[in-house]
Amino acid sequence: MSRLVRRQAKGIVPTGIDRVALAYLQRFQSRSQALLHQGPWSAWLPEADSQALFGHLLRPAAARPVARLQGGWHWARMPWWSARWPQPPRQGGAGVVLHVTHSDLDDGAYVASWRRHQLRSVVMVHDLIPITHPQFCREGEAARHVRRMRHTLQGATAIVCNSADTQSALSRFARAQGLPMPPSHVLPLGTRTLPDRPAAMAWPDPEPHRPTFLMLGTIEPRKNHEMVLRLWPQLVHDAQARGEPPPRLVIAGRRGWCLAPVAALLDGDARLRGHVLERGGCSDVELAHWMAQARALLLPLESAREAALVEGSPLRTLVANPASAVSVVLWGPPGTGKTKFIASFVHLLLSRGLADNILLVSQSHEAVNNAMDKVAGSLRASSLDVSMVRIGQQSMVSPAL
């Protein structure tokens, strides 16, 4: 809750992790109390005050007034604020702490207090990217994330991971640190349907007929915005040379860290003006509009190492909103795992009933053969009974198919 309070009080549009926290809050709010943490203090709110706080956090942003309270720290103006803050957590009592963000996990005393007060705890681990790929994170974040993960392993009763890859990375980290791995479970993140198409199309777009492409997510080095921004002037030039409307790039996401090259392009490259739209405070209605308008959702990869860094949240948005008819462009040179991704994505769509029929096409027979081999292997491994038809000249079809 502390992360949500801090960020909403500053008027920050919820990020992916914030949305996970809000989804869990919405699911469990009726039988929960709020545990807030700041500095050396933690406080349990009484049930009535907790419900008031939960209602505030789940309220639309326009209905949340903000005030400067206590020592210059920004908190939302809420009915539970009183002189009793801060106070230590209550003593004893059986309960479960559900901690679904990484915030405050670097505070060892806070995590240790769960056991000291006889509380079981379930912690969600989203990724170990600051540890496995520190070059994509701000200075000092790797050491901080090591503390977070060590405290989680030492203090959590159980761990929830958002993917098998995260669970595997955490298990390797535990072995390297000489720490036992608590019971862990993989619970993939769910999806939420975006606002319907009429609401999305009502969003005021000054150029609704212009070819639009979308990049979705926090602007940070591992998502390769710089590469796309350097390519975009050439794409604009080529389209204009053909007498066609120039493509428009919409970047829906807040600026992150280590962004000097990207910021220089966004703020100083005159060739991008009028062709790149940066939307750091994009609402769900506006996002639904861009999803409906976009020719493609761009997820550029430069190397096999970076392929592991695609978190999948834009794809979850796409699957949650199939009526948008958006394409996904996954770019990468040979060896970056594109064929494996195709097989995994086809398996996801079929195994979860998200598609009944899939047409897999390519410019070459070899590419179709390779993709279908991977798809067939993935389906066999999970015992899915799916009919597959390979169309093409017999001499061009892989013998295995």
Side-chain angles (χ1 to χ4, degrees), residues 217-221 225 251 253-257 259 262 266 278:
T218 301
I219 304 173
E220 50 188 328
H225 292 81
I251 301 177
R254 295 177 61 246
R255 294 194 185 191
W257 44 86
L259 285 183
V262 174
L266 287 171
E278 183 183 358

Side-chain angles (χ1 to χ4, degrees), residues 278-361:
E278 183 183 358
R279 299 297 300 157
C282 189
S283 68
D284 283 3
V285 172
E286 182 183 349
L287 176 59
H289 171 79
W290 296 127
M291 292 289 291
Q293 288 290 96
R295 300 282 183 90
L297 180 67
L298 304 183
L299 304 170
L301 306 176
E302 287 188 333
S303 68
R305 291 181 65 195
E306 293 176 19
L309 302 180
V310 177
E311 296 167 291
S313 53
L315 295 181
R316 286 192 294 275
T317 303
L318 174 65
V319 173
N321 194 43
S324 64
V326 174
S327 304
V328 175
V329 176
L330 184 69
W331 182 90
T336 53
K338 298 185 298 297
T339 303
K340 182 178 179 181
F341 170 84
I342 292 170
S344 298
F345 194 48
V346 169
H347 181 272
L348 170 71
L349 295 174
L350 294 175
S351 63
R352 299 195 180 182
L354 298 171
D356 296 320
N357 299 290
I358 297 174
L359 176 64
L360 184 60
V361 299

Side-chain angles (χ1 to χ4, degrees), residues 14-33:
T15 63
I17 287 182
D18 295 331
R19 289 174 182 271
V20 172
L22 289 169
Y24 272 86
L25 171 59
Q26 191 167 29
R27 175 66 176 83
F28 292 107
Q29 62 173 316
S30 63
R31 45 188 167 145
S32 300
Q33 288 179 255

Side-chain angles (χ1 to χ4, degrees), residues 236-254:
V236 169
H237 176 271
D238 291 348
Q240 292 174 332
R242 294 191 300 268
E244 300 172 357
R248 174 176 59 175
L249 174 65
V250 176
I251 301 177
R254 295 177 61 246

Side-chain angles (χ1 to χ4, degrees), residues 66-395:
V66 175
R68 179 183 291 273
L69 301 172
Q70 271 215 353
W73 209 55
H74 285 278
W75 278 92
R77 186 188 295 115
M78 298 180 183
W80 48 262
W81 189 276
S82 72
R84 68 174 179 270
W85 176 270
Q87 62 177 327
R90 63 185 181 185
Q91 296 291 328
V96 177
V97 174
L98 181 57
H99 195 102
V100 296
T101 75
H102 292 163
S103 296
D104 300 320
L105 291 177
D106 54 324
D107 186 339
Y110 166 64
V111 177
S113 71
W114 302 340
R115 289 188 184 274
R116 189 169 66 252
H117 295 288
Q118 302 173 24
L119 296 166
R120 294 171 293 167
S121 56
V122 177
V123 177
M124 172 172 275
V125 175
H126 294 260
D127 62 66
L128 279 79
I129 289 173
I131 299 172
T132 58
H133 298 79
Q135 69 273 27
F136 293 113
C137 301
R138 60 192 132 188
E139 187 176 354
E141 190 64 16
R144 188 179 182 188
H145 208 60
V146 166
R147 293 196 299 273
R148 293 188 189 110
M149 296 301 100
R150 284 185 60 87
H151 296 157
T152 297
L153 293 169
Q154 293 167 331
T157 308
I159 295 174
V160 171
C161 297
N162 60 359
S163 69
D165 182 71
T166 298
Q167 184 185 49
S168 177
L170 182 61
S171 180
R172 291 194 299 271
F173 174 82
R175 289 195 300 270
Q177 295 286 316
L179 295 172
M181 178 81 168
S184 63
H185 304 274
V186 175
L187 292 179
L189 303 182
T191 59
R192 182 166 62 88
T193 303
L194 289 170
D196 58 21
R197 194 176 184 89
M201 298 312 293
W203 191 84
D205 182 352
E207 300 178 286
H209 302 297
R210 188 171 175 184
T212 299
F213 297 82
L214 175 65
M215 293 188 73
L216 174 59
T218 301
I219 304 173
E220 50 188 328
R222 63 192 173 98
K223 294 174 183 172
N224 291 317
H225 292 81
E226 181 183 358
M227 181 181 70
V228 175
L229 292 173
R230 293 193 182 281
L231 287 172
W232 212 256
Q234 185 62 48
L235 297 178
V236 169
H237 176 271
D238 291 348
Q240 292 174 332
R242 294 191 300 268
E244 300 172 357
R248 174 176 59 175
L249 174 65
V250 176
I251 301 177
R254 295 177 61 246
R255 294 194 185 191
W257 44 86
C258 304
L259 285 183
V262 174
L265 290 168
L266 287 171
D267 299 333
D269 193 333
R271 298 173 301 168
L272 297 177
R273 291 172 192 162
H275 305 297
V276 174
L277 181 60
E278 183 183 358
R279 299 297 300 157
C282 189
S283 68
D284 283 3
V285 172
E286 182 183 349
L287 176 59
H289 171 79
W290 296 127
M291 292 289 291
Q293 288 290 96
R295 300 282 183 90
L297 180 67
L298 304 183
L299 304 170
L301 306 176
E302 287 188 333
S303 68
R305 291 181 65 195
E306 293 176 19
L309 302 180
V310 177
E311 296 167 291
S313 53
L315 295 181
R316 286 192 294 275
T317 303
L318 174 65
V319 173
N321 194 43
S324 64
V326 174
S327 304
V328 175
V329 176
L330 184 69
W331 182 90
T336 53
K338 298 185 298 297
T339 303
K340 182 178 179 181
F341 170 84
I342 292 170
S344 298
F345 194 48
V346 169
H347 181 272
L348 170 71
L349 295 174
L350 294 175
S351 63
R352 299 195 180 182
L354 298 171
D356 296 320
N357 299 290
I358 297 174
L359 176 64
L360 184 60
V361 299
S362 182
Q363 81 284 2
S364 73
H365 287 283
E366 182 181 5
V368 174
N369 288 336
N370 291 338
M372 288 199 69
D373 279 337
K374 289 280 189 183
V375 170
S378 177
L379 296 176
R380 283 195 301 269
S382 57
S383 302
L384 274 180
D385 185 15
V386 176
S387 298
M388 298 176 62
V389 177
R390 171 69 165 93
I391 300 174
Q393 296 180 11
Q394 188 170 357
S395 60

Side-chain angles (χ1 to χ4, degrees), residues 56 59-65:
H56 179 94
R59 195 179 308 158
R64 289 195 303 265

